Amino acid sequence: LLKYNAWILIGVAIATAMISQLADYLVGYYVSHKFLKKMITAKKYKKYNEKIKKWGNATIFVFNLTPLSSPILLLVAGMIQYDLKDAMKYSFLGLLLKYVIIAIFLV
C-alpha cells in the first residue's frame, strides 16, 4: 500500500478546486447572461442569487465545505459581480476545512 503525505494531497486538491472555482466565477463574470441562462435554469439562477445576496460569504463557505454545488454558486457569483476576493477566500476556507476533515478520517 502506498503512503502519501496528507498535506500534499490536501494542497493538490485545494489548488485544483480553486482553479476550477476561479474559472467558474470568471465565466459568470465575462460571458453573456443570455448564454449562461441556457446553461443553468432560471430557477437555479434565482435560487443561488438569493442565497448569495442574503448570506454572501457564509453561503460560499458552506457550499465549498459540503457536497453542495459550489461551481454553480461561483458561476452565479460572477454573474452578479460578487467580490472576487471574498468569493475566493471563502471558497478556499470551505475547501480547506472539508479536505482536512476528510484527511483526518482517512489517515
Side-chain angles (χ1 to χ4, degrees):
L1 190 63
L2 298 173
K3 290 271 186 172
Y4 295 99
N5 183 320
W7 290 108
I8 291 173
L9 293 175
I10 291 170
V12 169
I14 290 173
T16 57
M18 290 301 296
I19 291 168
S20 173
Q21 298 286 54
L22 179 60
D24 292 330
Y25 180 93
L26 293 174
V27 166
Y29 191 88
Y30 288 111
V31 175
S32 164
H33 288 280
K34 289 180 185 178
F35 176 74
L36 288 175
K37 286 185 179 179
K38 291 179 184 177
M39 290 176 56
I40 61 173
T41 64
K43 183 179 176 181
K44 280 188 180 180
Y45 174 81
K46 183 179 178 189
K47 174 183 160 185
Y48 288 112
N49 187 17
E50 288 172 359
K51 288 186 185 304
I52 294 169
K53 287 191 177 196
K54 184 174 183 182
W55 301 103
N57 296 333
T59 301
I60 293 170
F61 175 79
V62 169
F63 271 63
N64 281 284
L65 176 61
T66 63
L68 297 170
S69 186
S70 59
I72 294 175
L73 181 72
L74 268 287
L75 184 74
V76 174
M79 290 172 75
I80 64 170
Q81 298 181 354
Y82 192 78
D83 183 67
L84 176 60
K85 287 181 184 176
D86 279 348
M88 292 298 104
K89 177 171 69 174
Y90 288 95
S91 289
F92 174 80
L93 293 172
L95 290 166
L96 177 64
L97 185 55
K98 174 171 50 179
Y99 291 127
V100 167
I101 290 169
I102 291 170
I104 288 169
F105 286 105
L106 293 179
V107 174

